[in-house]
Amino acid sequence: MYELELILNSLQYKFKNSWEETRMLAYTTAQVNSSKKIKATDLMQFTWDEKIEEQIETITNEDKERIKQKSDEIIKELNNNING
């Protein structure tokens, strides 16, 4: 089930190239007809335009310890299944 959330969150990227092409065409048309300097993101903004730093989450020591404990549990369970 955890994969479903990842798939749904990534679905927006399926058509990313197409949307980037559309934005560049709109930008080119708008820039040729404008006396001011504009950016492509001024015309259309997408979720992937956000800065990468804002999307990065920091892993805390508590997270590391929780993940280590969970992996130890899984290893122990796998070893019990192989030996027993």
Side-chain angles (χ1 to χ4, degrees):
M1 277 307 238
Y2 65 91
E3 298 98 350
L4 187 58
E5 182 179 352
L6 182 61
I7 291 169
L8 291 175
N9 287 339
S10 301
L11 193 58
Q12 64 181 334
Y13 296 107
K14 182 176 182 178
F15 301 105
K16 181 179 178 183
N17 286 337
S18 178
W19 278 111
E20 287 291 346
E21 289 174 12
T22 303
R23 176 164 53 183
M24 290 310 296
L25 287 170
Y27 165 72
T28 304
T29 303
Q31 186 62 63
V32 168
N33 293 300
S34 175
S35 59
K36 293 190 278 183
K37 178 72 175 158
I38 58 174
K39 296 185 287 189
T41 53
D42 293 339
L43 301 173
M44 294 183 196
Q45 292 185 351
F46 301 114
T47 55
W48 56 80
D49 292 332
E50 296 173 10
K51 293 183 181 178
I52 293 174
E53 296 87 31
E54 294 174 1
Q55 297 175 359
I56 296 174
E57 294 181 24
T58 305
I59 297 176
T60 64
N61 288 332
E62 291 82 19
D63 292 333
K64 292 177 187 177
E65 186 60 33
R66 182 181 49 80
I67 292 169
K68 183 180 179 333
Q69 289 175 355
K70 186 67 176 175
S71 64
D72 289 343
E73 290 173 17
I74 292 170
I75 290 170
K76 188 182 289 185
E77 184 177 323
L78 289 173
N79 286 336
N80 287 339
N81 288 340
I82 291 172
N83 296 331

